[in-house]
Amino acid sequence: MTPQTTPAHPDALRPQTIDDVREVVAAAVAAEEPLAVEGTGTKLGLGRPVQAARTLSLAQLCGVTLYEPEELVLSARAGTPLAEIEALVDGHGQRLEFEPIDYGPLHGLEAGQGTLGGALACNLSGPRRLKQGAARDHVLGITAVSGRAEVFRSGGRVVKNVTGYDLSKGLAGSFGTLAVMTDITIKVLPKCEAETTLVLRGLDDAAAAGAMAAAMGSSAEVSGAAHLPMRVAARIAEGALGREAATLLRLEGFGPSVAARSAHLGAALQGVAPLERYQGAASAALWRDVRDVRPFVDGTDKPVWRVSLAPTQGHELVMQLRMQAAIDAFYDWQGGLVWLRMEAGEAEADLVRATLARLGGGHATLVRASAAVRAATSVFQPQPGPLAGLTQRLKVQFDPKGVLNPGRMG
Amino acid sequence: MAVAMPKPSAAILSRRAAIVDALKAIVPGEGVVDGITGMRPFETDGLTAYRQLPLVVVLPETVGQVAAVLRYCHQQDIPVVPRGSGTSLSGGALPLEDGVLLVMSRFNRVLDIDFDNRCAVVQPGVTNLGITRAVEHRGFYYAPDPSSQIACSIGGNVAENSGGVHCLKYGLTANNVLGVEFVTIEGEVVRLGGKHLDGDGGYDLLGLMTGSEGLLGVVTEVTVRILQKPETARAVLIGFPSSEEAGACVAEIIGKGIIPGGMEMMDRPAIHAAEAFVHAGYPLDVEALLIVELDGPGAEVDHLLAAVEAIGNANGAVTCRVSQSEEERAAFWAGRKAAFPAVGRISPDYYCMDGTIPRKELPRVLAGMKALSERYGLGVANVFHAGDGNLHPLILYDANKGDELHRAEAFGNDILRLCVEVGGVLTGEHGVGVEKRDLMPEMFSEDDLKHQQRVKCAFDAKHLLNPGKVFPQLHRCAELGRMHVHKGQVAFPELPRF
């Protein structure tokens, strides 16, 4: 399958100002006609398909409106391409610390097409999530239009702020179902001077979980801990790792610090498994592919699950599922993030979630499947009664007529 | 100080005896305190200018009791004020005359320590420092460290999204909490998150709960991230002839990509008060003093100390001292940590503010504060979380002298207005509570505040949890629920289509 550019909606409404966004929502509310809300449309494969009369695209509400590197702060319109922001801050030796995954390739699209609004609406994160947080941990403030067609702001532009409710966090991961974000202010941080990945070779999943727990529990400040079982390892960084299982431990920081921590951690892991080290760009290439689920970028729509659970339970989940279904799997976040590909083409939602529940719970999200499968499956983790009630009431408070991405988060 | 609280309900006050009896049936033994002497210690929190005896104090011991108390209060329309250790500096736990004060201090057990998953599960009454104490035998600690950490409870930290000296590098409470169990005002028990990341895969209710100041639910269990302690930590003390130069030094440290574990600034009055109190060895001939702490592997700390020293010198530092021992590092911090009581020695009373500003605005804000100080005829000492722009001006006054208290409040409000004017916020870590409630419109529009209140309505439609806090005006949820869009009257814009 050739990578596709962003799916085009010929009839999408493309406002260029906040006022226009508000008017589009107001019109939808008045007509009680739902809107499909999107940025450039790269993540339409996430969540359930939305049945809507019209599409509201934020793609033309774009541009960086404030960037003060010395204050570590950046504001941009929601439709600003993430790639544009990453290039800008890179030029000042900074980066988006939450390391947002690019779902494009997994969904058969070109890489690098997503927007800042999309990153926050889906609360994207990457391997650094376990140390430095997700998009929700780096947003400082937002302006948005709720499903009431009212403009509101929350937060500000400073890091330390507890003034009023943190609606930015409420909107992070809400997939456009509560409000349409128009402006976003985020924290940026300095890039690291050096990066080294220690790679343990040949560990089975359980042994890798033990090694990752030991590394994360040390003072080495590991900023990425992933395990790629045999054969999966071959599918990242253009085969740089070979076929053998690889357990990746990333260290980032100032040169002398990374060197010292690399030596300490290497010594602590002595005898666990043969150890290799990847520096700089070679290390970054490994993590980019772990981040973007490259082992499952296969041009198919075989179902892919993203499961968040207690890190030490990751390999247990995989072992138990293997006994009942054909799956391929690898681990990030010390084992607390399991990527699962269902080889037979069935989503097996009940099996995945029942197994997860037996292992202490967490959440499983179906991040890739055909539209038909997604329409027939609970893409997001079903919630118990009281929590479902709160979720529903929050939705009604912000979008009483249900005009914003109805059904997307089912 | 005068602050308008919701008018007590005469109906509730007249039913007090029956309410007390009903609560005693739920929480037996010593768990219900209804005598004036017994309730007296609960009449205020860390913001002692406000005092109010509650209707009754309840100290539940089990989640079942919390749920039953809340269910009863919800049925009977009785307000409930949750309280942890009562260290709030914004009056977040100020009781209501017609409200039950729900004190969570008996929830004081550490339930589970899971080193492999780097988390601890604790009850909300466990103190912030208590978590670190429970895990430090394996070299772990809990990172957020509000200065009240010896006393403040983790449940209170969740309610206030507490910060501390180390949050520049390690984040606020919201970035270090993995999960909570809480009870809704309707008495339902809800779990959010757990030992895994990203809550429940749905809306980030955990993010909304954290910092909600006790208005959304009563937390009964908290799962926090614990970290391995940095291998080493050293501090450097840098003195400057002006706050501008100190500010420039801070900007350059950050600009060079260095995120210190802590970076604090003190102005001349604060330096002198602290030095007189604890003899930390601070230079007295400087206008501004920076404490920069670097933590991590020894090799990193040595490398960065050299870099920070060089930046300090390039920005006009007149003194620069690196701690040579753990004792010396502790001494550097002793002065800063004692700044509040130290100021308490030189002034009968002080009023602590908590605005945050963009770092670059520091000189402008300090100059503005100086002018205000002259206008109000009151002194001010400044301690400042320089790394993240969080100011703690301490306004010096004497409550027994004429209108000084009134002037101090007006001075404080003007400082916060100034913070907002330069792009900052009213409160960085102390919370809105009752203290800054009426200033919220300085920062937020009517629609901003209404959307915040709509979160409240989703959780507590009857406004029974901690009413009178955070929001200057409580709109009834039914009124907030109305839609104001009229069919046919909205002009449809001409938008580009492709």
Side-chain angles (χ1 to χ4, degrees):
Chain A
M1 199 164 87
T2 325
Q4 303 289 305
T5 48
T6 315
H9 281 280
D11 287 331
L13 298 160
R14 297 167 188 268
Q16 295 178 330
T17 67
I18 295 176
D19 248 10
D20 286 349
V21 173
R22 197 191 53 74
E23 291 204 26
V24 168
V25 176
V29 169
E32 300 195 19
E33 281 184 354
L35 286 170
V37 184
E38 61 179 58
T40 46
T42 61
K43 292 186 254 316
L44 293 175
L46 287 179
R48 300 183 81 188
V50 174
Q51 308 290 328
R54 287 182 177 281
T55 292
L56 165 57
S57 162
L58 279 302
Q60 292 202 1
L61 189 70
C62 56
V64 173
T65 52
L66 175 145
Y67 177 37
E68 293 179 3
E70 67 287 355
E71 298 276 329
L72 308 179
V73 62
L74 178 142
S75 305
R77 304 281 189 211
T80 311
L82 214 44
E84 178 186 327
I85 292 172
E86 287 180 321
L88 173 67
V89 302
D90 185 73
H92 289 81
Q94 297 183 334
R95 69 182 182 189
L96 303 184
E97 191 75 358
F98 56 98
E99 202 177 9
I101 176 180
D102 185 348
Y103 274 111
L106 188 67
H107 291 153
L109 304 172
E110 269 180 32
Q113 303 296 301
T115 63
L116 177 62
L120 188 57
C122 306
N123 190 31
L124 298 187
S125 61
R128 209 178 286 116
R129 171 72 183 91
L130 82 173
K131 180 167 184 282
Q132 300 288 64
R136 55 92 82 174
D137 296 288
H138 296 264
V139 59
L140 301 177
I142 50 103
T143 303
V145 178
S146 71
R148 296 172 170 276
E150 291 168 351
V151 178
F152 66 95
R153 281 186 322 120
S154 173
R157 52 158 294 180
V158 292
V159 180
K160 216 162 161 192
N161 177 11
V162 294
T163 321
Y165 286 174
D166 195 350
L167 302 180
S168 319
K169 283 204 178 66
L171 296 188
S174 68
F175 285 78
T177 60
L178 296 176
V180 181
M181 286 184 277
T182 56
D183 287 89
I184 297 165
T185 299
I186 54 169
K187 176 165 74 170
V188 293
L189 280 170
K191 270 194 296 190
C192 288
E193 187 181 285
E195 155 173 2
T196 294
T197 295
L198 277 64
V199 184
L200 296 164
R201 301 314 305 257
L203 293 177
D204 65 29
D205 293 5
M212 289 192 288
M216 290 307 302
S218 77
S219 56
E221 293 182 35
V222 175
S223 74
H227 176 66
L228 311 169
M230 193 167 61
R231 289 188 293 276
V232 176
R235 286 182 252 147
I236 70 163
E238 294 171 346
L241 289 175
R243 283 172 57 85
E244 205 181 2
T247 309
L248 279 51
L249 301 166
R250 179 172 62 182
L251 306 173
E252 298 176 284
F254 289 95
S257 171
V258 171
R261 285 183 281 144
S262 172
H264 282 156
L265 187 58
L269 295 170
Q270 186 91 49
V272 171
L275 184 67
E276 297 165 1
R277 284 185 171 82
Y278 290 74
Q279 318 278 353
S283 165
L286 301 177
W287 290 102
R288 186 169 52 244
D289 284 358
V290 169
R291 182 193 73 185
D292 294 344
V293 206
R294 185 61 63 171
F296 297 160
V297 173
D298 51 12
T300 76
D301 54 11
K302 279 186 195 167
V304 173
W305 289 95
R306 179 181 187 270
V307 186
S308 175
L309 75 176
T312 51
Q313 301 287 31
H315 68 282
E316 285 287 340
L317 175 85
V318 170
M319 190 180 72
Q320 293 190 19
L321 288 174
R322 275 195 208 288
M323 291 189 272
Q324 297 178 71
I327 59 167
D328 201 2
F330 71 97
Y331 310 84
D332 197 355
W333 301 354
Q334 190 199 324
L337 174 62
V338 179
W339 294 103
L340 293 173
R341 182 174 65 184
M342 312 310 284
E343 302 295 79
E346 300 293 327
E348 304 277 13
D350 293 344
L351 172 66
V352 171
R353 289 185 172 129
T355 311
L356 176 61
R358 277 202 307 278
L359 292 171
H363 50 94
T365 309
L366 186 61
V367 295
R368 185 182 75 183
S370 67
V373 169
R374 282 182 288 127
T377 310
S378 291
V379 169
F380 292 86
Q381 181 75 24
Q383 299 181 328
L387 183 53
L390 281 172
T391 296
Q392 185 53 30
R393 293 204 292 275
L394 194 62
K395 168 74 175 170
V396 169
Q397 286 292 334
F398 277 73
D399 180 19
K401 300 282 186 191
V403 296
L404 300 179
N405 273 349
R408 180 89 187 252
M409 288 190 80
Chain B
M1 295 188 201
V3 61
M5 294 302 283
K7 196 171 176 298
S9 150
I12 293 174
L13 297 178
S14 70
R15 282 189 290 132
R16 181 169 187 265
I19 292 168
V20 168
D21 284 347
L23 292 169
K24 282 182 172 168
I26 298 171
V27 184
E30 314 271 285
V32 175
V33 180
D34 61 334
I36 288 184
T37 316
M39 294 200 298
R40 188 66 73 193
F42 298 102
E43 69 177 356
T44 188
D45 57 15
L47 187 66
T48 53
Y50 302 94
R51 289 174 193 275
Q52 171 63 55
L53 280 175
L55 183 72
V56 55
V57 176
V58 180
L59 298 105
E61 256 181 323
T62 67
V63 178
Q65 289 173 357
V66 173
V69 168
L70 292 175
R71 205 175 299 123
Y72 169 76
C73 290
H74 184 249
Q75 279 163 2
Q76 302 284 321
D77 291 330
I78 304 165
V80 178
V81 176
R83 176 181 164 116
S85 301
T87 56
S88 168
L89 292 171
S90 54
L94 179 69
L96 292 168
E97 188 183 348
D98 62 346
V100 170
L101 189 71
L102 193 63
V103 180
M104 298 301 289
S105 54
R106 290 161 101 184
F107 277 76
N108 57 4
R109 287 186 301 132
V110 175
L111 301 174
D112 179 19
I113 299 172
D114 185 342
F115 290 111
D116 279 347
N117 287 312
R118 293 182 305 129
C119 61
V121 184
V122 300
Q123 291 189 322
V126 172
T127 62
N128 174 293
L129 197 59
I131 299 176
T132 292
R133 293 279 179 265
V135 299
E136 65 188 356
H137 61 285
R138 288 270 302 266
F140 283 80
Y141 77 119
Y142 175 61
D145 58 342
S147 49
S148 57
Q149 68 179 150
I150 191 166
C152 65
S153 69
I154 188 65
N157 287 181
V158 170
E160 301 292 328
N161 191 15
S162 304
V165 165
H166 286 94
C167 64
L168 174 64
K169 185 168 176 182
Y170 297 100
L172 301 160
T173 302
N175 312 108
N176 288 276
V177 167
L178 296 171
V180 299
E181 175 192 83
F182 73 98
V183 184
T184 67
I185 186 66
E186 284 150 330
E188 286 185 312
V189 180
V190 179
R191 296 190 72 88
L192 302 175
K195 291 184 178 182
H196 57 278
L197 290 169
D198 293 336
D200 307 280
Y203 293 152
D204 188 0
L205 299 182
L206 183 56
L208 288 172
M209 277 295 292
T210 312
S212 61
E213 303 201 18
L215 273 75
L216 300 186
V218 177
V219 171
T220 49
E221 185 189 296
V222 187
T223 303
V224 297
R225 165 72 74 225
I226 53 173
L227 299 175
Q228 183 67 213
K229 276 189 178 159
E231 188 185 296
T232 178
R234 288 171 77 190
V236 53
L237 208 55
I238 316 175
F240 294 90
S242 74
S243 60
E244 281 82 358
E245 284 155 308
C249 177
V250 169
E252 195 176 335
I253 290 171
I254 302 275
K256 289 260 162 73
I258 302 170
I259 306 291
M263 183 149 56
E264 298 290 305
M265 193 191 292
M266 299 165 78
D267 71 358
R268 178 183 273 268
I271 298 166
H272 282 251
E275 182 60 22
F277 187 32
V278 299
H279 311 293
Y282 290 167
L284 296 175
D285 54 347
V286 297
E287 287 299 318
L289 186 65
L290 275 186
I291 307 173
V292 184
E293 178 160 295
L294 298 154
D295 61 10
E300 173 174 332
V301 171
D302 290 346
H303 174 72
L304 296 183
L305 272 175
V308 167
E309 272 189 277
I311 293 168
N313 289 328
N315 283 282
V318 288
T319 63
C320 191
R321 250 172 65 207
V322 177
S323 67
Q324 299 301 327
S325 64
E326 194 52 26
E327 291 70 37
E328 195 173 13
R329 183 181 76 90
F332 287 1
W333 281 110
R336 165 62 186 89
K337 289 191 172 171
F340 289 15
V343 165
R345 286 172 77 242
I346 59 168
S347 173
D349 297 285
Y350 66 87
Y351 185 34
C352 174
M353 311 308 296
D354 174 45
T356 303
I357 57 170
R359 276 182 300 268
K360 64 172 181 184
E361 301 289 353
L362 179 66
R364 178 173 160 198
V365 171
L366 286 179
M369 242 187 265
K370 201 171 170 193
L372 287 170
S373 168
E374 280 158 21
R375 190 197 314 164
Y376 284 102
L378 294 174
V380 61
N382 264 291
V383 295
F384 180 48
H385 299 304
D388 47 33
N390 187 198
L391 294 165
H392 290 315
L394 303 167
I395 299 170
L396 315 180
Y397 72 98
D398 182 347
N400 292 322
K401 265 196 204 159
D403 66 342
E404 283 205 4
L405 169 58
H406 177 69
R407 272 190 281 148
E409 279 186 290
F411 184 3
N413 290 349
D414 278 351
I415 291 176
L416 295 183
R417 287 189 187 99
L418 179 60
C419 290
V420 172
E421 190 186 310
V422 303
V425 301
L426 297 172
T427 172
E429 57 185 358
H430 294 174
V432 176
V434 292
E435 188 202 21
K436 285 158 293 238
R437 184 193 69 190
D438 295 337
L439 287 171
M440 290 285 272
E442 299 283 337
M443 191 170 145
F444 295 114
S445 73
E446 185 75 11
D447 277 347
D448 299 341
L449 288 171
K450 281 184 175 173
H451 278 85
Q452 292 184 29
Q453 284 195 40
R454 288 184 175 117
V455 175
K456 167 74 168 170
C457 291
F459 282 76
D460 173 23
K462 288 162 87 173
H463 286 327
L464 291 172
L465 273 171
N466 220 2
K469 315 289 166 64
V470 183
F471 299 113
Q473 191 189 354
L474 274 179
H475 296 276
R476 291 162 51 93
C477 289
E479 177 198 329
L480 283 170
R482 284 189 207 114
M483 294 282 284
H484 299 285
V485 179
H486 305 289
K487 277 190 188 183
Q489 293 184 4
V490 181
F492 201 74
E494 282 308 310
L495 296 169
R497 299 176 188 208
F498 297 89

